[in-house]
Amino acid sequence: MYKKFYGFKERPFEIAPDPAFVYLSEVHQEALAHLQYAIQEGKGFSVITGEAGTGKTTLVRKLLSNIDGSSIRTCYIFNPIMDSTDFLNYICNDLGIESDGIKSRGQSLTALHNYLLQCFTKNEKVFLIIDEAQSLETNLLQEVRLLTNLETAKYKLLHVILLGQPELNQTLSEPQFRPLKQRITIRYHLRPLTLRESKEYITYRLKRAGSRDLAIFDNSAIKKIFRYSKGIPRLINIVGDNALLTGFSRDKNRIGKNIIQSVIRDLEIKEKSSWSQKSKSFLQAFIILLLLVCVFCGLLYLFLPDLFNNILGMRSYG
């Protein structure tokens, strides 16, 4: 809607991860370097953490776009909420392992092991990349650890990269996961952007979108965006996109702090409205449950008064 008005070829603040729009701040460059090192050296276990929206998924997509497909095989799990059987089946299917005749977990493990051995003989590395790893159930995280036991006398056959929010670190610190934690060879935490990096991020995305005017957002607007987003790229994108739409509707070629304040106010109202709706739904469910209990007690009193009085007597005695 606003692309022509601002001279964009593409919308600069799309939320969907796009490797073409990746802005590599110093911390993102370090994180990507850690991931590339894990791939090149075939490290057994790597963990990258960061708050929601800091760019973990975008980094993975950037990494995958740079991988040499002739010597690296990858299985990318973007939603790990599944049981162990589905988990193994997903890995086999994503790696292109023939699944005809596979009916049990043991058969899936055997097929995966044979595939990994074949890749090893061809000098190919196989990586299992799990996004949103903080959502892994306990038994599934143990399954991941056990999969890394697939090895030769010298080399790991399967390499694992876990990406997740800080809660993942808390999970890995639990005593039951000590064996897994000891296997982690690469670990990195992705921090949010600084004010300077946030300004560079906004400018970079405007440039990638084809804008000739890289000062659409003035300094006061950028500072407002930073205070609200706390340097989280996803929130910067949300505010930036809404600000451009608001600026277009007001016929403004420059985005100042007043427009950003207006956008943030609207976003906060929507957020409060969402929580209000959830609270209202919870209250309605509670009232319905209370009514059902009252109806049940009334029917019990009408048709089975002795049982009703016995229940009351037992509660009084207790």
Side-chain angles (χ1 to χ4, degrees), residues 253-265:
N253 292 316
R254 288 284 181 273
I255 304 296
K257 67 177 182 179
N258 291 336
I259 289 179
I260 302 301
Q261 286 174 334
S262 175
V263 167
I264 291 173
R265 187 165 53 248

Side-chain angles (χ1 to χ4, degrees), residues 150-180:
L150 299 174
E151 56 190 0
T152 65
K154 287 186 176 182
Y155 302 101
K156 293 287 185 184
L157 295 177
L158 182 66
H159 313 280
V160 178
I161 297 176
L162 299 180
L163 302 121
Q165 295 173 26
E167 293 86 346
L168 176 60
N169 286 327
Q170 298 172 14
T171 301
L172 294 174
S173 296
E174 295 178 8
Q176 60 183 317
F177 295 117
R178 188 178 296 112
L180 188 154

Side-chain angles (χ1 to χ4, degrees), residues 6-8 12-13 21 198-219 221-222 244 253-255:
Y6 288 108
F8 299 141
F13 298 108
F21 276 79
S198 296
K199 182 176 181 178
E200 291 174 356
Y201 175 84
I202 292 171
T203 302
Y204 177 82
R205 293 190 73 102
L206 291 174
K207 186 176 181 180
R208 293 294 297 178
S211 176
R212 294 182 179 179
D213 183 2
L214 302 181
I216 294 174
F217 292 82
D218 67 25
N219 287 330
I222 292 173
L244 290 171
N253 292 316
R254 288 284 181 273
I255 304 296

Side-chain angles (χ1 to χ4, degrees), residues 122-246:
K122 293 185 289 186
N123 199 30
E124 295 176 347
K125 298 171 186 173
V126 182
F127 277 83
L128 171 61
I129 303 173
I130 304 177
D131 206 348
E132 300 294 341
Q134 79 281 349
S135 301
L136 281 167
E137 294 288 343
T138 299
N139 64 319
L140 210 54
L141 195 51
Q142 292 287 15
E143 185 78 43
V144 173
R145 179 181 70 83
L146 293 174
L147 285 178
T148 60
N149 287 337
L150 299 174
E151 56 190 0
T152 65
K154 287 186 176 182
Y155 302 101
K156 293 287 185 184
L157 295 177
L158 182 66
H159 313 280
V160 178
I161 297 176
L162 299 180
L163 302 121
Q165 295 173 26
E167 293 86 346
L168 176 60
N169 286 327
Q170 298 172 14
T171 301
L172 294 174
S173 296
E174 295 178 8
Q176 60 183 317
F177 295 117
R178 188 178 296 112
L180 188 154
K181 189 176 180 180
Q182 292 172 350
R183 298 184 184 191
I184 298 174
T185 53
I186 292 179
R187 200 165 194 164
Y188 193 83
H189 181 73
L190 199 61
R191 63 162 174 77
L193 303 176
T194 63
L195 173 58
R196 176 183 59 81
E197 290 168 340
S198 296
K199 182 176 181 178
E200 291 174 356
Y201 175 84
I202 292 171
T203 302
Y204 177 82
R205 293 190 73 102
L206 291 174
K207 186 176 181 180
R208 293 294 297 178
S211 176
R212 294 182 179 179
D213 183 2
L214 302 181
I216 294 174
F217 292 82
D218 67 25
N219 287 330
S220 65
I222 292 173
K223 288 178 180 178
K224 277 286 182 184
I225 293 173
F226 176 73
R227 290 195 196 101
Y228 174 77
S229 67
K230 296 180 174 61
I232 303 293
R234 183 183 298 162
L235 293 180
I236 294 175
N237 288 350
I238 291 172
V239 176
D241 186 60
N242 281 274
L244 290 171
L245 182 59
T246 302

